[in-house]
Amino acid sequence: MDHAELYSRAAREISSADALLIGAGAGMGVDSGLPDFRGNEGFWKAYPPFKGRPFASMSNPQWFVADPQLAWGFMGHRMQLYRDTTPHAGFDILLRWASRMPAGFFVFTSNVDGQFQKAGFPDDRIIECHGSIHHLQCLKLCRQSIWSARDTRVTVDMSTVRATSALPRCPHCNGFARPNVLMFGDWGWLADRSEKQYARYHAWLREVRGKKVVAIEMGAGLAIPTVRIECEQRATALIRVNPRDPDVPAGAISLPVGALAALSAIDPLTTSRLCAP
């Protein structure tokens, strides 16, 4: 089946949906200019000083103890990168579709970048299963407290990826703070914020039980397949947008292209209920 027919099928599914589940992995941000850290080469291209070290070894809470300047150099740069990035036009298409669903929508993302909120999606319709880099917690877990990183700024020397400014501190014990992000080998992540998101998400799933839930999943890979599995399990109809890992279960729609290309092609084919007035 050619891409034109696949886009038409996807448009028909979305146009007839009662509810929309939007799944997003790192590939969702590529069209906005964000690195997806897929494979070591992609990670090293974004952070040349880390060449020879896999992403999993650097996205690890051990560095906040062993070398906090390095840990905050890496995370501080990412935090500012996400703040400076404008979400691509595909986010606007998704928000318009989602806002016109009779039974509503939810975003399920493994991304920690806050791009859906920046694009105008309401915070109470998003679940960030790996946390958010825009929130902080105490490294020592002095208490179950998560706070906004809105006022946090870290100056980074990109020749070494090391922080050169004062490091974020816990407002309660004055120990080092860390992002409220689930890293590799992370036993100290506070999941309270994400658990509240899960509670809202499961309440919505109960509301849409028996209705047609269409999942459009973008840029979610196989290395950590949380988003893929969630969309497969929850959807009445699944649309998978992924240029690298496009395989789908029987009956689902596979679009082996990037997120912006797929959304831009599907949008004009949707019915008047979802099209811009």
Side-chain angles (χ1 to χ4, degrees):
M1 190 178 295
D2 63 22
H3 282 191
E5 178 54 30
L6 289 171
Y7 290 140
S8 294
R9 277 188 60 199
R12 289 194 295 271
E13 294 288 10
I14 293 166
S15 297
S16 62
D18 296 312
L20 189 66
L21 175 59
I22 299 168
M28 180 64 182
V30 170
D31 292 309
S32 301
L34 293 174
D36 66 0
F37 301 145
R38 183 183 174 86
N40 288 333
E41 292 298 331
F43 176 50
W44 297 337
K45 182 179 179 181
Y47 294 95
F50 291 160
K51 189 171 179 63
R53 303 178 183 181
F55 175 68
S57 75
M58 297 310 303
S59 183
N60 191 303
Q62 68 172 340
W63 292 109
F64 286 91
V65 176
D67 193 342
Q69 280 76 23
L70 181 66
W72 266 113
F74 180 38
M75 288 296 188
H77 176 262
R78 290 176 64 191
M79 184 184 292
Q80 193 59 45
L81 175 65
Y82 299 148
R83 286 172 175 157
D84 293 341
T85 297
T86 300
H88 61 74
F91 285 88
D92 294 332
I93 293 171
L94 287 168
L95 182 57
R96 174 161 38 81
W97 293 349
S99 300
R100 298 180 182 183
M101 287 289 150
F105 70 93
F106 229 95
V107 174
F108 189 100
T109 181
S110 58
N111 299 335
V112 302
D113 54 26
Q115 293 293 290
F116 279 97
Q117 289 93 332
K118 196 171 186 180
F121 284 78
D123 196 54
D124 64 357
R125 296 286 94 186
I126 300 170
I127 177 165
E128 297 157 301
C129 63
H130 292 165
S132 168
I133 204 168
H134 303 296
H135 289 79
L136 305 178
Q137 65 172 79
C138 180
L139 179 63
K140 296 179 180 178
L141 295 176
C142 70
R143 62 184 68 187
Q144 297 285 117
S145 179
I146 299 170
W147 64 93
S148 172
R150 185 181 301 108
D151 298 325
T152 299
R153 297 288 185 277
V154 179
T155 304
V156 181
D157 178 354
M158 285 308 295
S159 68
T160 59
V161 195
R162 298 183 68 84
T164 58
S165 58
L167 301 183
R169 296 275 180 172
C170 173
H172 307 293
C173 71
N174 202 41
F176 286 129
R178 52 159 282 186
N180 184 231
V181 168
L182 178 61
M183 292 174 263
F184 292 89
D186 196 347
W187 299 102
W189 178 55
L190 286 178
D192 301 42
R193 181 172 173 273
S194 292
E195 286 174 355
K196 291 176 182 176
Q197 293 177 334
Y198 266 106
R200 291 192 291 267
Y201 174 57
H202 288 142
W204 177 74
L205 288 176
R206 289 191 293 271
E207 292 172 6
V208 300
R209 189 173 297 151
K211 299 182 184 295
K212 181 174 181 179
V213 179
V214 173
I216 181 162
E217 172 206 303
M218 294 149 294
L222 292 168
I224 303 176
T226 311
V227 175
R228 292 170 73 98
I229 293 170
E230 189 67 27
C231 288
E232 289 177 7
Q233 290 181 340
R234 304 299 185 182
T236 308
L238 171 65
I239 303 163
R240 174 163 289 152
V241 179
N242 198 310
R244 289 170 171 158
D245 301 310
D247 292 348
V248 292
I253 299 170
S254 172
L255 296 172
V257 296
L260 180 57
L263 295 168
S264 298
I266 295 168
D267 190 39
L269 305 176
T270 57
T271 63
S272 57
R273 175 170 70 88
L274 299 177
C275 290

